Amino acid sequence: MRHLDKKILIPVVTVLIFMFYASYITIQSPLVGFGVKNENGNWVVDELHEDGWAYNQDIETGDILLKIDGDCPEHNNQVTKEQLIRAAENFTLIGKNGEEKTFSVSYVSETKQLFSHLLFPLVYLLLTIYVALYIYRKQKKELSALVLIQFLLCIALAYGSAGASSRGDIVGRVVNGVTLVGCLVFYIQFLKIFLERFEITFISQSSLRKLFILPLFVFVANLVTLFVPTWKNTRTMLELGIFSLLLILIIALFIKNYSQYRDKPGSQAVKLLVFLFVLAFIPFTFLYAIPAVLFSAPIMNAEIAVMFLLFIPISFIYLQLTERLFDIDYILSRFKYYTVLAFPFSALICGIISIFLVENISVEEVFLIFIMLFVGNILFLYIKERIDYRNRKYMFSVRGNLQTNMYTFFQKTKDANKVQIVINRILSEMENTLNVKSAIFIEMHQQESSSVWKVHSQSSETFMDLLKLEAVDWEYESIGNIFTFLKGFAVVVGSDIHVKKLILCDEKKTGMKLKNDEKIWIEMMAYFANVVVENMKLIEGLVEQIDELKLQETNESPKWLSKLLFALSEKERANLSNDLHDSILQEQLQLLREMDSMYKIVDDQAIKDKLNEMKEQMLDNVHLIRETCMELRPPLLSEQGLKVSLHRLIRQTKLRCNFLLYVSIGENIQPSKEEELIFYRIFQELLTNAMKHSNATEVNIDFYQVDRSIILQYEDDGVGVDLTNEGYSFSSMGLVGIKERIRSIDGNIEIISSKGQGMKIRIEIETEAK
C-alpha cells in the first residue's frame, strides 16, 4: 500500500467503509418482503413479494399484523409510512382462522438472500478493488484509467448498497440511487477520454457536463421521498427510467461512432467495449429495469440480473494482464456459431427438467435454468475448442502442418503460367503432404443420352480399377467432394457439362485412413485447383487470341485489349491479396497467439528458446504476407489517393535501396481513378527496375501536372542500355509493361539511354479527370 497515494486510497477506503456499513445492515435481517394495508383499524397483509423471506413462510394475504418487533404496528415507520415490511426481527400475525402465528426472522431458511444480498456483492467488491489497484499501478498517469476506476468502484457501490436499500436504510437507498445512475455517467466519460487517443469524439464535453446533473437530480429525488414517503415508487421508477435512458444513449453513441469511425484504428477497441458493455448491462436492462418501468413486472430478479456485471472487472483483468485486446471479430463469429449449437440443446434439457423432473417450478426459475444451460454450453464449446487445438498442435510436424504447407504451395505456384505446370505441382503437393504413393489427374466424360461415365483422359497409367471409377454417378458429385474407394480416393477438382475433373490418390503409405484435418485440406486444394486451372485456361485462351489479333504493321495488340488485360490482372491481384489476408495471414496470427500461450505455461528453457525461434520465423512469414498483400493491392490508393500511396511506396523503397532517391510530387496532380492505378504501377516498375538492374547511385523522379497534361520524368546514372542494338530487351527491366500501360490510355513515352550513360524516361498523358 506504500506505493499508492490518496488518489486511489481515499475512494477505495471510502467504498470499503460503506460496504462494511451496508453489510452490517444487510446481515441484521433478510428482506421480509410483504405489504400491508389498513382495513378498519387493522393492518392486513395484502401482498407477498416473490423475492422476500415471507413468500416461503406460512403467511397468506388477509392475515392481520398484530405485532412487529414486540410493538404495535402503528408505532413502526415501515407500516405507517411505506406499508411494506422490509426488515424485522420478529412479528406476530392472526390468520384467517383466528390462529395466532409468531415468526422469528433469520437467514436459516433464506440462504439465497445471504448469497445474493451479501456474499456476491462482497466478492464483486474485492474483485473490483483488485482491478482498480492493478489499473492504477499500471496506468496511474492516464486520466482514462482514473475515470475507469471511478466507474468500477461506482458499480461496486451500486451493487453493494442494494441489500441495505431494499431493507429501507436511508443511506443505502440514497447511495444506491446515485451510484446506479452515476456509474453510467462515469462510463460515458471514460469512453470519451479513452477513444480520444484514436481521434474518435464519443461525446462532446458540453453534453457530458449536462449528464453529470442526473446523479444530483436522483440525490434530490431521494431526499424528497424522506418527507413525502408516497413518492417512493415514483422515485424508483425515475431511477430505473434514467438508468435505461442512459443505456440507450450509450448504445446509440456506440452505433453512431462506429459507423462514423469504422476505418479508424480505434474501431476494434470500440467493438470490444460494445461487446463487454452489452454482455454486462443488457440482462439487467431488458430483463429487470425496462420491464419494471413499463409493466411493473420484471422478468428476472434484480440480484440475479446484476451478476452479469461481473463480466466487467473480469474482462479488464484479462486486458491488463495480457496487455492486448481480445480478437473480438473471432470471438463474435464463434459466438454466433456456438449459439446455434447451444440454443436447441439448452431448450430441450430445460423443457425436460421443467416438465418431468421438477414440480411447481416458476417461469423465472425455468428461464434462469435455460440461461445457465445456454451460457454453460457456449463456454463449454469455447473451452473444448481450446483443448482440441492444444492437443492437436503437439502432433503437428513439418509434413502435418497443413496451413504452412498450403502457404508454401501458394508461394511455389504464384509464378506458374501454364495449366499443366499447376496441375503437376498440385499432384506433387498432394503426394508429399498426404504421404500417398501417387496422385494423378483424370477426366470423366458422361456418354451422350445416358448416365454412363467413362474415363476420357488420364495423365499416366492409373493404379485404380477403372470399372470402379466408371460405376460412380459423377453427375451429383460437386467440387471438393471426396469419394473413397477400397484402395485410395478421388476428389472432384473441376466440373463442366457432362465432364468431371478428378485427382486420384493412392492409399497412404502408412495404410491409415484420412484424418478430418486432411479432408479439409484436400477440399481447400480442390477449390484452389478449380479456380487456378480454370483461370489459367482463360488466360491461355486470351493469349492465343492476342497472338491472332496482333496487328500486321505495328506488331501490337489493340488498346482495348491491353486495357482489358490490365483490368483483369488488377482484379486477380486484389482477389489473391484478399485470399492471402483473410485465410493464410489470419491463421498465422492465430498460431502466434497460441504460441504466446504455450510460452507462458512451459518451464523448460530449451523449449522456450525453440518457441522463440519459431515465433521469429512466423513473424517473418507474417511480414512477408503483409508485404505481398500490399504489393498486390495498394492499401491506401482507394481510400486516401495516389499521393499518400506514392509517399508510402517511396519510404519503403528508401529503406531497401542502395542509391540516393529524390522524388518531387506536385500538389495539383488530379488523375482519374484509372490513371491513379496506372501511375502507381509505373512507379513500382521504375523503382523495382532501379534497384534490380540500374546499378545507379542516384535516381531522380519528377511527377507534376501542367494544365491537363500529367508528366512523369525519370532519370538515373546507372548502366543504361544500348538502344541502337537490336538485341536489347526491356522485358527483363519491366519497361514493356510500362509502355503497354501508357499506350492503353493514349499516352506518350520517350526513353533515352546509352551504354554506361544511365537512363531518362519521360511519360506524358492527357488526364480524363474533370
Side-chain angles (χ1 to χ4, degrees), residues 679-695:
F679 275 112
Y680 184 86
R681 294 300 185 199
I682 290 174
F683 263 85
Q684 273 188 321
E685 292 288 356
L686 290 175
L687 293 174
T688 301
N689 173 66
M691 286 191 290
K692 289 185 177 180
H693 305 292
S694 69
N695 292 333

Side-chain angles (χ1 to χ4, degrees), residues 31-90:
L31 176 63
V32 178
F34 68 86
V36 295
K37 63 179 179 180
N38 195 321
E39 289 185 358
N40 301 322
N42 292 322
W43 291 98
V44 180
V45 177
D46 72 332
E47 183 182 11
L48 293 171
H49 294 179
E50 289 187 12
D51 56 346
W53 174 89
Y55 188 79
N56 297 315
Q57 306 299 318
D58 183 21
I59 300 174
E60 300 178 352
T61 55
D63 291 353
I64 298 173
L65 180 64
L66 188 62
K67 289 184 179 181
I68 180 169
D69 289 337
D71 204 352
C72 296
E74 290 79 6
H75 297 160
N76 190 286
N77 288 334
Q78 296 180 89
V79 175
T80 57
K81 292 184 178 180
E82 299 187 49
Q83 288 82 53
L84 177 64
I85 307 302
R86 296 175 179 273
E89 293 182 5
N90 56 76

Side-chain angles (χ1 to χ4, degrees), residues 9 36 40-41 65 119 142 155 161 181 192 244 303 315 336 466 472 494 621 641 650 660 665 668 736 743 756 760 765:
L9 281 179
V36 295
N40 301 322
L65 180 64
L119 296 181
E142 290 286 338
I155 290 181
S161 61
V181 174
K192 177 185 183 301
S244 300
E303 287 78 11
S315 301
K336 293 176 185 177
L466 296 181
V472 178
N621 286 342
I650 292 164
L660 297 175
I665 300 177
N668 63 333
V736 170
R743 196 176 65 83
K760 294 181 181 180
I765 69 164

Side-chain angles (χ1 to χ4, degrees), residues 621-760:
N621 286 342
V622 168
H623 177 73
L624 176 61
I625 296 172
R626 290 186 190 277
E627 289 294 321
T628 303
C629 289
M630 286 187 289
E631 288 178 5
L632 290 170
R633 185 182 63 177
L636 303 177
L637 192 58
S638 58
E639 291 85 1
Q640 300 185 26
L642 179 61
K643 294 179 185 177
V644 175
S645 299
L646 288 179
H647 283 303
R648 187 181 187 282
L649 177 63
I650 292 164
R651 285 196 301 270
Q652 289 178 330
T653 304
K654 286 183 176 180
L655 292 174
R656 293 182 294 176
C657 69
N658 57 357
F659 51 77
L660 297 175
L661 176 60
Y662 301 99
V663 181
S664 172
I665 300 177
E667 295 294 330
N668 63 333
I669 302 175
Q670 296 179 334
S672 66
K673 287 295 182 183
E674 179 187 13
E675 292 162 354
E676 281 187 347
L677 183 57
I678 286 175
F679 275 112
Y680 184 86
R681 294 300 185 199
I682 290 174
F683 263 85
Q684 273 188 321
E685 292 288 356
L686 290 175
L687 293 174
T688 301
N689 173 66
M691 286 191 290
K692 289 185 177 180
H693 305 292
S694 69
N695 292 333
T697 59
E698 183 175 317
V699 174
N700 291 274
I701 302 177
D702 291 319
F703 187 42
Y704 57 93
Q705 181 170 341
V706 178
D707 296 329
R708 293 181 61 83
S709 296
I710 298 179
I711 301 169
L712 188 152
Q713 292 181 316
Y714 169 91
E715 181 177 356
D716 68 46
D717 60 355
V719 296
V721 294
D722 184 3
L723 298 179
T724 62
N725 183 0
E726 295 182 357
Y728 89 93
S729 173
F730 284 155
S731 59
S732 62
M733 302 172 66
L735 297 181
V736 170
I738 294 176
K739 291 179 69 176
E740 284 297 314
R741 287 183 185 273
I742 295 301
R743 196 176 65 83
S744 70
I745 55 174
D746 293 324
N748 297 315
I749 180 169
E750 179 184 2
I751 302 175
I752 301 174
S753 181
S754 59
K755 202 70 172 177
Q757 298 299 315
M759 178 177 289
K760 294 181 181 180

Side-chain angles (χ1 to χ4, degrees), residues 160-177:
S161 61
S165 174
S166 64
R167 286 158 179 75
D169 181 73
I170 296 174
V171 177
R173 181 183 300 168
V174 172
V175 171
N176 182 255

Side-chain angles (χ1 to χ4, degrees), residues 316-330:
F316 280 106
I317 284 176
Y318 177 88
L319 292 176
Q320 292 299 325
L321 290 178
T322 60
E323 298 182 349
R324 59 175 179 265
L325 297 176
F326 301 110
D327 187 349
I328 190 64
D329 289 325
Y330 176 78

